[in-house]
C-alpha cells in the first residue's frame, strides 16, 4: 500500500486566523467608537462595510484552508480522494488500466485516465516536484 497526501500550504493556523480577526475587528470598533464619541456617526457605516468584507474574505480562506488530495494504491486498486471547500470526491481506478498523462500546458496539468474516465490530479504539487511525483506514481500504473 502506498499513499500520497497533498495539501495546501496555509500560512495561518485556525487559531492565528481567529486572533487576527479578533484584533482587526477590535481595533476597527475602537477607532469607530472614538469617532462616534466626538460626533462623527458616518464612520460606523464604513466600519461595518470593512468588517463585513473581512468576514467574507476569512470565511472563503477558511473554507479552502483544509483542502487536500489523497492518492492511495493498494494492490491493483487506485483510490483518489479530493476535498475541495468541504466537499469530498472519491474516484476509484484499476492500476493495470490507468495511465498518467499531461492534459494540457497549464501549471496543474496531470491527470489519471482509464477508458473514458479522466481525473485531474496534482493540484497541490509545486512545479519543481511535479516530475518526481509523476515518476513515483508512474511506477505503480499500467503493470
Amino acid at each position: 500500500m502506498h499513499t500520497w497526501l497533498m495539501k495546501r500550504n496555509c500560512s495561518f493556523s485556525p487559531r492565528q486566523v481567529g486572533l487576527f480577526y479578533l484584533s482587526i475587528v477590535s481595533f476597527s470598533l475602537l477607532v469607530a467608537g472614538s469617532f462616534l464619541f466626538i460626533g462623527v456617526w458616518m464612520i460606523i457605516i464604513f466600519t461595518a462595510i470593512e468588517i463585513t468584507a473581512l468576514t467574507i474574505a476569512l470565511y472563503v480562506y477558511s473554507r479552502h484552508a483544509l483542502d487536500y488530495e489523497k492518492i492511495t494504491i493498494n494492490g491493483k486498486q487506485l483510490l483518489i480522494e479530493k476535498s475541495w471547500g468541504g466537499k469530498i470526491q472519491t474516484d476509484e481506478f484499476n492500476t493495470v488500466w490507468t495511465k498518467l498523462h499531461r492534459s494540457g500546458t497549464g501549471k496543474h496539468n496531470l491527470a489519471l485516465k482509464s477508458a473514458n474516465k479522466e481525473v485531474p490530479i496534482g493540484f497541490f504539487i509545486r512545479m519543481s516536484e511535479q516530475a518526481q511525483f509523476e515518476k513515483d506514481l508512474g511506477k505503480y500504473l499500467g503493470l
Side-chain angles (χ1 to χ4, degrees):
M1 183 168 164
H2 196 83
T3 301
W4 291 269
L5 179 63
M6 299 156 280
K7 301 190 294 186
R8 285 189 182 276
N9 183 9
C10 295
S11 57
F12 282 133
S13 71
R15 180 177 179 194
Q16 289 172 326
V17 170
L19 290 173
F20 170 75
Y21 180 74
L22 184 64
S23 66
I24 293 294
V25 168
S26 299
F27 182 72
S28 293
L29 290 174
L30 180 68
V31 170
S34 300
F35 277 98
L36 186 61
F37 182 70
I38 62 172
V40 183
W41 60 270
M42 287 186 66
I43 196 74
I44 293 293
I45 296 169
F46 294 106
T47 301
I49 292 169
E50 173 193 10
I51 290 172
T52 302
L54 179 64
T55 302
I56 291 169
L58 289 179
Y59 174 74
V60 170
Y61 172 83
S62 66
R63 291 260 316 164
H64 292 287
L66 301 176
D67 290 351
Y68 69 89
E69 184 175 41
K70 181 178 175 183
I71 299 173
T72 305
I73 295 180
N74 189 7
K76 292 184 179 181
Q77 178 191 34
L78 183 139
L79 188 65
I80 302 169
E81 182 180 318
K82 293 181 180 184
S83 173
W84 187 262
K87 296 177 184 169
I88 297 177
Q89 172 191 348
T90 305
D91 293 294
E92 187 175 339
F93 292 97
N94 185 327
T95 58
V96 176
W97 302 319
T98 303
K99 298 292 180 192
L100 179 65
H101 72 97
R102 295 190 177 272
S103 63
T105 59
K107 180 181 177 187
H108 308 291
N109 60 0
L110 291 177
L112 288 170
K113 185 172 184 173
S114 180
N116 60 351
K117 187 176 182 182
E118 183 174 325
V119 176
I121 62 168
F123 186 77
F124 303 113
I125 299 175
R126 286 185 240 139
M127 287 295 287
S128 60
E129 297 172 350
Q130 202 172 45
Q132 183 62 40
F133 171 72
E134 189 175 358
K135 182 180 170 186
D136 291 344
L137 183 58
K139 286 189 254 183
Y140 295 93
L141 302 178
L143 302 174

